[in-house]
Protein backbone atom coordinates (compact mmCIF):
# COMPACT_ATOMS: atom_id res chain seq x y z
CA UNK A 1 0.00 0.00 0.00
CA UNK A 2 1.32 3.46 -0.83
CA UNK A 3 0.92 6.31 1.63
CA UNK A 4 -1.19 9.25 0.47
CA UNK A 5 0.94 11.91 -1.17
CA UNK A 6 0.96 15.12 0.78
CA UNK A 7 1.90 17.99 -1.48
CA UNK A 8 3.58 20.89 0.29
CA UNK A 9 3.84 24.15 -1.60
CA UNK A 10 6.36 26.76 -0.45
CA UNK A 11 6.06 29.65 -2.87
CA UNK A 12 8.43 32.23 -1.32
CA UNK A 13 12.13 31.71 -0.54
CA UNK A 14 15.55 33.32 -0.94
CA UNK A 15 19.08 32.27 -1.87
CA UNK A 16 22.52 33.89 -1.98
CA UNK A 17 21.44 35.38 -5.34
CA UNK A 18 19.81 38.05 -3.13
CA UNK A 19 19.80 38.17 0.68
CA UNK A 20 19.42 34.49 1.55
CA UNK A 21 22.25 32.70 3.35
CA UNK A 22 22.00 29.37 1.48
CA UNK A 23 23.21 28.83 -2.05
CA UNK A 24 20.56 27.68 -4.55
CA UNK A 25 21.92 24.15 -4.20
CA UNK A 26 21.81 24.23 -0.40
CA UNK A 27 18.27 25.64 -0.52
CA UNK A 28 16.82 22.92 -2.76
CA UNK A 29 18.51 20.20 -0.70
CA UNK A 30 17.00 21.66 2.47
CA UNK A 31 13.56 22.13 0.89
CA UNK A 32 13.45 18.49 -0.14
CA UNK A 33 14.62 17.38 3.30
CA UNK A 34 11.80 19.42 4.85
CA UNK A 35 9.23 17.62 2.71
CA UNK A 36 8.52 20.46 0.28
CA UNK A 37 7.09 19.19 -3.01
CA UNK A 38 6.82 22.46 -4.93
CA UNK A 39 9.35 25.21 -4.28
CA UNK A 40 9.47 28.72 -5.69
CA UNK A 41 12.68 30.73 -5.35
CA UNK A 42 11.74 34.40 -5.15
CA UNK A 43 14.95 36.39 -4.84
CA UNK A 44 14.75 40.17 -4.62
CA UNK A 45 14.81 41.67 -8.13
CA UNK A 46 16.82 38.81 -9.64
CA UNK A 47 16.26 35.39 -11.19
CA UNK A 48 19.93 34.40 -11.01
CA UNK A 49 19.34 31.66 -8.42
CA UNK A 50 16.95 29.66 -10.61
CA UNK A 51 19.32 27.99 -13.05
CA UNK A 52 21.81 26.77 -10.42
CA UNK A 53 18.85 25.45 -8.39
CA UNK A 54 17.53 23.57 -11.42
CA UNK A 55 20.95 22.12 -12.13
CA UNK A 56 21.31 20.95 -8.53
CA UNK A 57 17.86 19.28 -8.57
CA UNK A 58 18.77 17.42 -11.76
CA UNK A 59 22.28 16.48 -10.62
CA UNK A 60 21.07 15.20 -7.24
CA UNK A 61 17.86 13.74 -8.70
CA UNK A 62 15.83 15.43 -5.98
CA UNK A 63 12.08 14.71 -5.90
CA UNK A 64 11.32 18.44 -5.89
CA UNK A 65 9.44 20.60 -8.39
CA UNK A 66 10.97 24.03 -8.86
CA UNK A 67 8.84 26.86 -10.21
CA UNK A 68 10.44 30.11 -11.35
CA UNK A 69 9.83 33.14 -9.15
CA UNK A 70 10.97 36.62 -8.21
CA UNK A 71 10.16 39.22 -5.55
CA UNK A 72 9.94 42.75 -6.97
CA UNK A 73 10.16 45.80 -4.73
CA UNK A 74 7.60 48.47 -5.62
CA UNK A 75 6.69 51.87 -4.24
CA UNK A 76 3.07 52.57 -3.33
CA UNK A 77 1.99 55.60 -1.33
CA UNK A 78 5.49 55.88 0.21
CA UNK A 79 5.36 52.23 1.28
CA UNK A 80 7.68 49.55 -0.09
CA UNK A 81 5.32 46.83 -1.26
CA UNK A 82 6.78 43.52 -2.44
CA UNK A 83 5.18 41.82 -5.42
CA UNK A 84 6.04 38.17 -6.01
CA UNK A 85 6.00 36.76 -9.53
CA UNK A 86 5.22 33.05 -9.91
CA UNK A 87 5.80 30.88 -12.95
CA UNK A 88 7.21 33.56 -15.23
CA UNK A 89 9.67 32.87 -18.03
CA UNK A 90 12.86 34.14 -16.34
CA UNK A 91 14.45 35.36 -19.55
CA UNK A 92 11.46 37.26 -20.97
CA UNK A 93 12.77 40.71 -22.04
CA UNK A 94 9.96 42.61 -20.27
CA UNK A 95 11.01 41.01 -17.01
CA UNK A 96 14.77 41.20 -17.46
CA UNK A 97 14.51 44.88 -18.47
CA UNK A 98 12.51 45.76 -15.36
CA UNK A 99 14.80 43.76 -13.08
CA UNK A 100 17.92 45.39 -14.55
CA UNK A 101 16.46 48.82 -13.82
CA UNK A 102 15.52 47.74 -10.29
CA UNK A 103 19.06 46.50 -9.67
CA UNK A 104 20.53 49.81 -10.93
CA UNK A 105 18.35 51.65 -8.38
CA UNK A 106 19.35 49.12 -5.75
CA UNK A 107 23.04 49.76 -6.38
CA UNK A 108 22.63 53.56 -6.18
CA UNK A 109 20.57 53.20 -3.02
CA UNK A 110 23.10 50.89 -1.39
CA UNK A 111 25.88 53.40 -2.10
CA UNK A 112 23.78 56.19 -0.57
CA UNK A 113 23.00 54.04 2.47
CA UNK A 114 26.73 53.37 2.90
CA UNK A 115 27.48 57.11 2.79
CA UNK A 116 24.93 57.78 5.49
CA UNK A 117 26.25 54.99 7.67
CA UNK A 118 29.79 56.39 7.34
CA UNK A 119 28.47 59.71 8.65
CA UNK A 120 26.89 57.79 11.53
CA UNK A 121 30.37 56.49 12.43
CA UNK A 122 30.17 52.99 10.93
CA UNK A 123 33.47 51.65 9.57
CA UNK A 124 33.52 50.92 5.81
CA UNK A 125 29.86 49.82 5.42
CA UNK A 126 30.13 49.59 1.63
CA UNK A 127 32.84 46.95 1.59
CA UNK A 128 31.33 45.19 4.58
CA UNK A 129 27.94 44.80 2.93
CA UNK A 130 29.45 44.00 -0.50
CA UNK A 131 31.56 41.26 1.00
CA UNK A 132 28.53 39.67 2.69
CA UNK A 133 26.68 39.95 -0.62
CA UNK A 134 29.62 38.21 -2.35
CA UNK A 135 30.00 41.27 -4.60
CA UNK A 136 26.50 40.67 -5.91
CA UNK A 137 23.16 42.41 -5.29
CA UNK A 138 23.26 44.39 -2.02
CA UNK A 139 20.13 44.68 0.13
CA UNK A 140 19.51 46.36 3.45
CA UNK A 141 19.68 42.85 4.88
CA UNK A 142 23.42 42.74 4.04
CA UNK A 143 24.03 46.08 5.75
CA UNK A 144 22.10 44.79 8.75
CA UNK A 145 24.24 41.65 8.98
CA UNK A 146 27.42 43.69 8.66
CA UNK A 147 26.37 46.03 11.49
CA UNK A 148 25.57 43.03 13.68
CA UNK A 149 29.04 41.64 12.93
CA UNK A 150 30.53 44.96 14.10
CA UNK A 151 28.60 44.64 17.33
CA UNK A 152 26.65 47.89 16.95
CA UNK A 153 23.39 45.98 17.45
CA UNK A 154 22.57 42.55 18.83
CA UNK A 155 20.52 41.35 15.88
CA UNK A 156 19.30 42.27 12.41
CA UNK A 157 15.92 43.41 13.62
CA UNK A 158 17.55 45.91 15.99
CA UNK A 159 19.74 47.27 13.18
CA UNK A 160 16.57 48.00 11.21
CA UNK A 161 14.99 49.70 14.20
CA UNK A 162 18.05 51.82 14.86
CA UNK A 163 19.51 52.52 11.40
CA UNK A 164 17.65 51.22 8.36
CA UNK A 165 13.90 51.70 8.79
CA UNK A 166 12.10 54.68 7.33
CA UNK A 167 13.13 57.86 9.12
CA UNK A 168 16.29 56.36 10.63
CA UNK A 169 19.82 57.61 10.01
CA UNK A 170 20.75 55.08 7.30
CA UNK A 171 17.42 55.16 5.48
CA UNK A 172 17.41 56.22 1.85
CA UNK A 173 14.06 56.57 0.05
CA UNK A 174 14.01 53.95 -2.72
CA UNK A 175 13.11 54.46 -6.36
CA UNK A 176 11.31 51.23 -7.05
CA UNK A 177 8.88 50.68 -9.90
CA UNK A 178 5.11 50.95 -9.46
CA UNK A 179 2.85 48.02 -8.62
CA UNK A 180 1.37 48.32 -12.11
CA UNK A 181 4.79 48.05 -13.75
CA UNK A 182 5.63 44.95 -11.72
CA UNK A 183 2.33 43.28 -12.58
CA UNK A 184 2.75 44.11 -16.26
CA UNK A 185 6.26 42.65 -16.48
CA UNK A 186 5.22 39.49 -14.62
CA UNK A 187 2.19 39.04 -16.87
CA UNK A 188 4.12 39.66 -20.08
CA UNK A 189 6.52 36.96 -18.93
CA UNK A 190 3.57 34.61 -18.45
CA UNK A 191 3.49 34.60 -14.63
CA UNK A 192 1.07 35.40 -11.82
CA UNK A 193 1.48 38.50 -9.62
CA UNK A 194 1.09 38.11 -5.86
CA UNK A 195 1.09 40.64 -3.01
CA UNK A 196 3.81 39.38 -0.65
CA UNK A 197 3.32 39.24 3.16
CA UNK A 198 0.41 41.74 3.34
CA UNK A 199 0.53 41.74 7.13
CA UNK A 200 4.07 43.09 7.28
CA UNK A 201 3.64 46.60 5.90
CA UNK A 202 2.28 48.17 9.05
CA UNK A 203 -0.73 49.37 7.09
CA UNK A 204 -4.03 49.99 8.87
CA UNK A 205 -6.93 47.80 7.72
CA UNK A 206 -8.22 50.73 5.70
CA UNK A 207 -4.94 51.18 3.83
CA UNK A 208 -4.39 47.48 3.34
CA UNK A 209 -7.83 47.25 1.73
CA UNK A 210 -6.92 50.20 -0.51
CA UNK A 211 -3.75 48.40 -1.54
CA UNK A 212 -5.62 45.17 -2.34
CA UNK A 213 -8.34 47.06 -4.24
CA UNK A 214 -5.74 48.83 -6.39
CA UNK A 215 -3.79 45.60 -6.91
CA UNK A 216 -6.95 43.80 -8.06
CA UNK A 217 -7.95 46.70 -10.32
CA UNK A 218 -4.47 46.58 -11.89
CA UNK A 219 -4.99 42.93 -12.78
CA UNK A 220 -3.04 41.37 -9.90
CA UNK A 221 -3.76 37.69 -9.38
CA UNK A 222 -3.18 36.65 -5.78
CA UNK A 223 -2.07 37.56 -2.28
CA UNK A 224 -0.12 35.64 0.30
CA UNK A 225 -2.42 34.31 2.99
CA UNK A 226 -0.31 31.74 4.84
CA UNK A 227 3.17 32.16 6.32
CA UNK A 228 4.78 30.08 9.04
CA UNK A 229 5.17 32.88 11.56
CA UNK A 230 1.64 34.15 11.82
CA UNK A 231 -1.29 34.08 14.24
CA UNK A 232 -4.39 32.04 13.31
CA UNK A 233 -6.35 35.32 13.42
CA UNK A 234 -4.07 36.95 10.87
CA UNK A 235 -4.35 33.97 8.56
CA UNK A 236 -8.13 33.95 8.62
CA UNK A 237 -8.29 37.72 8.26
CA UNK A 238 -6.06 37.56 5.16
CA UNK A 239 -8.17 34.70 3.79
CA UNK A 240 -11.21 36.97 4.19
CA UNK A 241 -9.48 39.71 2.22
CA UNK A 242 -8.57 37.24 -0.54
CA UNK A 243 -12.27 36.37 -0.84
CA UNK A 244 -13.42 40.00 -0.67
CA UNK A 245 -10.98 41.17 -3.33
CA UNK A 246 -11.34 38.10 -5.57
CA UNK A 247 -7.68 37.21 -5.27
CA UNK A 248 -6.21 33.73 -5.37
CA UNK A 249 -4.35 32.69 -2.24
CA UNK A 250 -0.63 31.96 -1.97
CA UNK A 251 1.58 30.68 0.82
CA UNK A 252 5.29 30.72 1.55
CA UNK A 253 7.88 30.72 4.28
CA UNK A 254 9.93 33.70 3.00
CA UNK A 255 12.88 31.58 4.13
CA UNK A 256 16.19 33.49 4.21
CA UNK A 257 18.37 31.34 6.48
CA UNK A 258 18.17 28.45 8.91
CA UNK A 259 16.68 29.75 12.15
CA UNK A 260 14.45 28.54 14.96
CA UNK A 261 11.17 30.12 13.89
CA UNK A 262 11.07 30.08 10.09
CA UNK A 263 11.50 26.88 8.10
CA UNK A 264 10.86 25.80 4.53
CA UNK A 265 7.42 24.24 4.13
CA UNK A 266 6.48 24.64 7.79
CA UNK A 267 2.86 25.36 8.77
CA UNK A 268 1.88 26.17 5.22
CA UNK A 269 -1.80 25.47 4.56
CA UNK A 270 -4.70 27.58 3.36
CA UNK A 271 -8.00 28.08 5.19
CA UNK A 272 -11.13 26.78 3.42
CA UNK A 273 -13.21 28.86 1.05
CA UNK A 274 -10.35 30.40 -0.93
CA UNK A 275 -8.77 29.35 -4.19
CA UNK A 276 -5.06 28.48 -4.22
CA UNK A 277 -2.85 30.34 -6.65
CA UNK A 278 -1.72 26.95 -8.04
CA UNK A 279 -5.34 26.08 -8.98
CA UNK A 280 -4.61 26.08 -12.73
CA UNK A 281 -1.00 24.96 -12.63
CA UNK A 282 -0.16 21.93 -14.72
CA UNK A 283 -0.23 18.61 -12.94
CA UNK A 284 3.04 18.09 -11.14
CA UNK A 285 5.60 16.39 -13.35
CA UNK A 286 6.85 13.11 -12.00
CA UNK A 287 9.64 14.02 -9.64
CA UNK A 288 13.02 12.40 -9.99
CA UNK A 289 13.11 9.13 -8.09
CA UNK A 290 15.69 9.27 -5.32
CA UNK A 291 19.08 8.02 -6.49
CA UNK A 292 19.76 4.42 -5.54
CA UNK A 293 22.98 2.99 -4.13
CA UNK A 294 23.73 1.59 -7.57
CA UNK A 295 23.39 5.10 -9.00
P1 LIG B 1 15.84 45.99 0.66
O1 LIG B 1 15.17 45.19 -0.41
O2 LIG B 1 17.25 46.37 0.35
O3 LIG B 1 15.00 47.16 1.12
O4 LIG B 1 15.99 45.01 1.91
C1 LIG B 1 14.84 44.44 2.43
C2 LIG B 1 15.18 43.12 3.11
O5 LIG B 1 15.67 43.36 4.41
C3 LIG B 1 13.92 42.28 3.32
O6 LIG B 1 13.71 41.44 2.24
C4 LIG B 1 14.24 41.50 4.55
O7 LIG B 1 14.99 40.37 4.21
C5 LIG B 1 15.12 42.43 5.33
N1 LIG B 1 14.34 43.20 6.32
C6 LIG B 1 13.54 44.26 6.10
N2 LIG B 1 13.02 44.74 7.25
C7 LIG B 1 13.52 43.95 8.23
C8 LIG B 1 13.38 43.92 9.66
N3 LIG B 1 12.62 44.82 10.30
N4 LIG B 1 14.03 42.97 10.32
C9 LIG B 1 14.80 42.08 9.68
N5 LIG B 1 14.98 42.04 8.35
C10 LIG B 1 14.35 42.97 7.63
MN1 LIG C 1 14.93 39.66 2.04
MN1 LIG D 1 9.52 40.74 1.09
MN1 LIG E 1 10.94 37.61 0.56
Amino acid sequence: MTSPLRVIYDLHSHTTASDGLLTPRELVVRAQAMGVTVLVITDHDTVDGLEPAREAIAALRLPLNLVAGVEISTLWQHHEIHIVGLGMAPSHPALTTLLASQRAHRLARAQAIAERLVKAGIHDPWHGARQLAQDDLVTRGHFARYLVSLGVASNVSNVFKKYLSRGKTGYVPPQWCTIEEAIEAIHLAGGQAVVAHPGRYQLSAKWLKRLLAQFTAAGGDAMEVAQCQQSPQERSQLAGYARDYHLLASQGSDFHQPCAWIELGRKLWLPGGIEPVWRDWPVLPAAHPPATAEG
Side-chain angles (χ1 to χ4, degrees):
M1 206 174 78
T2 54
S3 59
L5 182 67
R6 187 161 168 248
V7 178
I8 298 181
Y9 291 83
D10 190 335
L11 309 185
H12 190 150
S13 66
H14 295 271
T15 75
T16 46
S18 66
D19 59 352
L21 273 192
L22 301 189
T23 63
R25 183 186 179 102
E26 289 165 340
L27 187 82
V28 296
V29 166
R30 189 177 182 96
Q32 195 271 322
M34 294 299 159
V36 172
T37 331
V38 179
L39 178 74
V40 186
I41 293 177
T42 53
D43 276 309
H44 298 287
D45 300 315
T46 179
V47 290
D48 286 353
L50 297 175
E51 200 44 47
R54 253 185 227 301
E55 283 167 12
I57 287 171
L60 301 170
R61 298 179 63 76
L62 295 177
L64 176 69
N65 297 283
L66 185 73
V67 174
V70 69
E71 181 170 15
I72 302 177
S73 294
T74 75
L75 201 53
W76 178 79
Q77 305 283 348
H78 304 293
H79 292 279
E80 293 185 47
I81 305 297
H82 290 178
I83 304 297
V84 158
L86 300 176
M88 345 70 57
S91 58
H92 191 286
L95 185 70
T96 52
T97 302
L98 178 70
L99 296 185
S101 149
Q102 292 277 106
R103 287 196 299 271
H105 287 308
R106 205 171 252 296
L107 178 62
R109 186 196 197 194
Q111 285 163 336
I113 289 174
E115 281 171 27
R116 291 200 190 193
L117 291 176
V118 166
K119 287 186 190 143
I122 305 295
H123 175 70
D124 208 0
W126 176 246
H127 288 106
R130 285 276 295 183
Q131 200 170 12
L132 289 175
Q134 293 169 8
D135 294 329
D136 207 345
L137 174 144
V138 178
T139 71
R140 283 185 295 167
H142 296 107
F143 283 107
R145 280 183 206 146
Y146 176 62
L147 267 62
V148 170
S149 77
L150 292 181
V152 301
S154 55
N155 59 46
V156 160
S157 172
N158 285 338
V159 179
F160 272 89
K161 277 189 202 140
K162 208 167 153 192
Y163 291 95
L164 298 176
S165 299
R166 186 141 61 119
K168 296 300 156 69
T169 166
Y171 183 76
V172 175
Q175 295 192 298
W176 305 133
C177 65
T178 63
I179 287 179
E180 286 77 8
E181 288 168 327
I183 293 174
E184 187 187 16
I186 291 167
H187 281 175
L188 285 169
Q192 290 165 290
V194 185
V195 178
H197 41 65
R200 232 190 282 157
Y201 301 120
Q202 296 174 321
L203 296 173
S204 65
K206 181 173 131 184
W207 278 93
L208 182 51
K209 288 178 185 177
R210 269 189 200 171
L211 167 65
L212 297 175
Q214 184 175 330
F215 180 75
T216 304
D221 304 280
M223 60 180 274
E224 288 183 354
V225 166
Q227 295 167 273
C228 51
Q229 227 198 352
Q230 178 186 49
S231 71
Q233 291 83 351
E234 180 180 317
R235 195 173 296 202
S236 51
Q237 183 187 39
L238 292 177
Y241 289 155
R243 269 193 300 273
D244 293 347
Y245 292 93
H246 307 291
L247 291 168
L248 300 172
S250 187
Q251 63 182 35
S253 60
D254 201 3
F255 181 90
H256 281 73
Q257 63 193 88
C259 72
W261 50 90
I262 295 175
E263 187 50 84
L264 289 159
R266 184 191 287 174
K267 295 193 204 162
L268 295 179
W269 50 268
L270 294 176
I274 48 178
E275 294 284 338
V277 68
W278 57 85
R279 182 183 65 177
D280 299 324
W281 289 10
V283 175
L284 299 178
H288 292 284
T292 61
E294 299 85 70

